[in-house]
Amino acid sequence: YTVIERLAEWVRRRVRLYYWKQWKQPRTRRRQLLALGIAPDEVHKASRSRKGYWRMSQMSLVRHALNNRWLEEQGVPDMRAVWIKLHYGPHARV
């Protein structure tokens, strides 16, 4: 189970990395983060950052904007829930 949790965390971080990579320009990053509900003064910190993609994908502001619920809405499966259903059956509580 712990292996699945760590793998799920890594996959979500990797997906955040790809979204951050798609939003290449600071203007696009700013627009997207504002649309996701981040405060304008906080958006400037992230949109103009020169840190790498992998490091930015773990930044708290980006994690708050691209949270797990949003990722599930975008189609990223919850590996923990899938593992629980496979391991304990279809009637297991997640």
Side-chain angles (χ1 to χ4, degrees):
Y1 180 75
T2 56
V3 173
I4 292 297
E5 281 187 325
R6 281 188 278 142
L7 181 63
E9 288 174 13
W10 184 87
V11 167
R12 285 191 304 264
R13 185 173 179 185
R14 190 72 181 179
V15 171
R16 286 186 191 105
L17 175 143
Y18 284 123
Y19 274 105
W20 196 250
K21 226 176 205 186
Q22 282 180 345
W23 306 338
K24 199 110 175 132
Q25 300 297 320
R27 184 179 337 131
T28 307
R29 290 177 180 167
R30 179 176 175 76
R31 186 175 59 243
Q32 294 290 345
L33 289 173
L34 286 172
L36 290 170
I38 304 299
D41 57 330
E42 295 291 319
V43 168
H44 184 72
K45 294 176 188 176
S47 65
R48 296 290 181 172
S49 178
R50 296 175 58 98
K51 291 180 173 69
Y53 298 119
W54 185 249
R55 189 164 175 187
M56 285 302 295
S57 68
Q58 193 63 14
M59 185 178 180
S60 63
L61 192 118
V62 175
R63 287 178 62 196
H64 181 70
L66 307 177
N67 58 23
N68 296 347
R69 187 177 332 123
W70 186 83
L71 290 175
E72 284 182 30
E73 290 171 5
Q74 300 303 312
V76 179
D78 182 10
M79 294 174 68
R80 181 183 155 274
V82 171
W83 185 88
I84 290 172
K85 295 273 186 200
L86 289 174
H87 191 73
Y88 293 111
H91 300 295
R93 286 185 286 165
V94 177

